[in-house]
Amino acid sequence: QKEVEQDPGPLSVPEGAIVSLNCTYSNSAFQYFMWYRQYSRKGPELLMYTYSSGNKEDGRFTAQVDKSSKYISLFIRDSQPSDSATYLCAIDTGGFKTIFGAGTRLFVKA
Amino acid sequence: DVKVTQSSRYLVKRTGEKVFLECVQDMDHENMFWYRQDPGLGLRLIYFSYDVKMKEKGDIPEGYSVSREKKERFSLILESASTNQTSMYLCASSFPAVTEAFFGQGTRLTVV
């Protein structure tokens, strides 16, 4: 079983839609959860991070962690064409290692 | 503006060649990383370094080596390139015990 599972998509939505991106993980000891956004032909950039369970909101983006089900989510409200990118979930395992999901490609159509 | 710069955006090399990928960061970060990114597999850690001249193997170090002679520079070396090393290579850096990593723009390497 992979430590982090993420559906690679692609996911195509119309402009203005609410987008839900998800990952599952296997180790209940993980505490730091992140979402990176990667535009085409660019490196990933940190979008949001959360510690332990709960929600964190930043503008149109909400990151959610459910440790009981080992499920992490990223919600994008009022999606825009500029949100078209690959979104990678990531988990800091402590020490130097970060585990990345495969990434979900998102297309927002105008 | 923080910056991680990789020396090449695109490279085409022949099987058996020795290949050098260079990465420079201007943020005085102690930690530096090399990942490869393949469709469906995400980012996989090849090597990392937490100080000058220090290096640690990641998950897939076979066929690769690294060099860190200066704090700002981290090089990835493919000793004898093979076609299964065709991939996107990403360099990253961070402060110790800090979650966020800063990535370069990536080098797309094709081995023919």
Side-chain angles (χ1 to χ4, degrees):
Chain A
Q1 182 188 6
K2 285 186 181 178
E3 292 183 284
V4 178
E5 300 266 12
Q6 182 177 12
D7 186 340
L11 181 62
S12 183
V13 301
E15 183 176 358
I18 296 174
V19 176
S20 173
L21 304 167
N22 309 292
C23 290
T24 58
Y25 63 94
S26 59
N27 190 332
S28 58
F30 294 152
Q31 296 275 42
Y32 285 93
F33 305 92
M34 296 166 279
W35 286 95
Y36 280 81
R37 179 174 61 195
Q38 184 177 21
Y39 289 114
S40 182
R41 291 183 290 277
K42 300 278 189 182
E45 296 176 294
L46 183 67
L47 188 59
M48 298 184 72
Y49 75 90
T50 53
Y51 173 71
S52 194
S53 279
N55 290 0
K56 186 172 183 179
E57 190 173 320
D58 184 2
R60 296 184 294 111
F61 297 86
T62 299
Q64 187 175 85
V65 177
D66 182 349
K67 291 199 74 181
S68 62
S69 56
K70 290 182 275 193
Y71 200 81
I72 56 178
S73 302
L74 178 70
F75 299 98
I76 307 173
R77 291 185 299 280
D78 187 25
S79 56
Q80 302 295 310
S82 58
D83 295 328
S84 297
T86 296
Y87 291 81
L88 301 106
C89 61
I91 301 175
D92 187 338
T93 64
F96 295 96
K97 188 170 179 182
T98 299
I99 304 169
F100 289 86
T104 300
R105 292 189 68 189
L106 172 67
F107 296 95
V108 181
K109 299 172 292 185
Chain B
D1 193 21
V2 296
K3 216 163 189 179
V4 179
T5 303
Q6 296 182 228
S7 53
S8 304
R9 292 295 302 272
Y10 301 96
L11 275 179
V12 180
K13 296 292 182 180
R14 296 196 179 276
T15 301
E17 275 194 80
K18 191 168 187 176
V19 181
F20 293 86
L21 303 183
E22 307 285 345
C23 175
V24 177
Q25 51 96 2
D26 64 1
M27 295 165 282
D28 204 33
H29 286 163
E30 283 79 7
N31 297 341
M32 296 190 75
F33 308 85
W34 275 106
Y35 293 90
R36 64 176 283 176
Q37 184 176 28
D38 300 288
L41 297 178
L43 275 69
R44 292 180 291 167
L45 182 63
I46 304 171
Y47 267 96
F48 67 92
S49 169
Y50 53 88
D51 201 352
V52 176
K53 296 191 184 295
M54 305 303 290
K55 60 186 179 185
E56 293 287 341
K57 292 180 180 179
D59 297 319
I60 50 165
E62 295 78 19
Y64 304 94
S65 62
V66 291
S67 173
R68 193 166 181 200
E69 296 297 318
K70 293 185 177 181
K71 188 176 185 179
E72 67 271 19
R73 188 179 297 270
F74 193 35
S75 302
L76 179 69
I77 303 152
L78 286 67
E79 298 292 342
S80 177
S82 64
T83 55
N84 63 11
Q85 292 178 310
T86 292
S87 186
M88 170 70 85
Y89 289 88
L90 289 161
C91 174
S93 69
S94 72
F95 286 118
V98 171
T99 300
E100 182 177 9
F102 294 86
F103 284 85
Q105 77 277 26
T107 296
R108 184 165 294 281
L109 173 68
T110 302
V111 182
V112 298

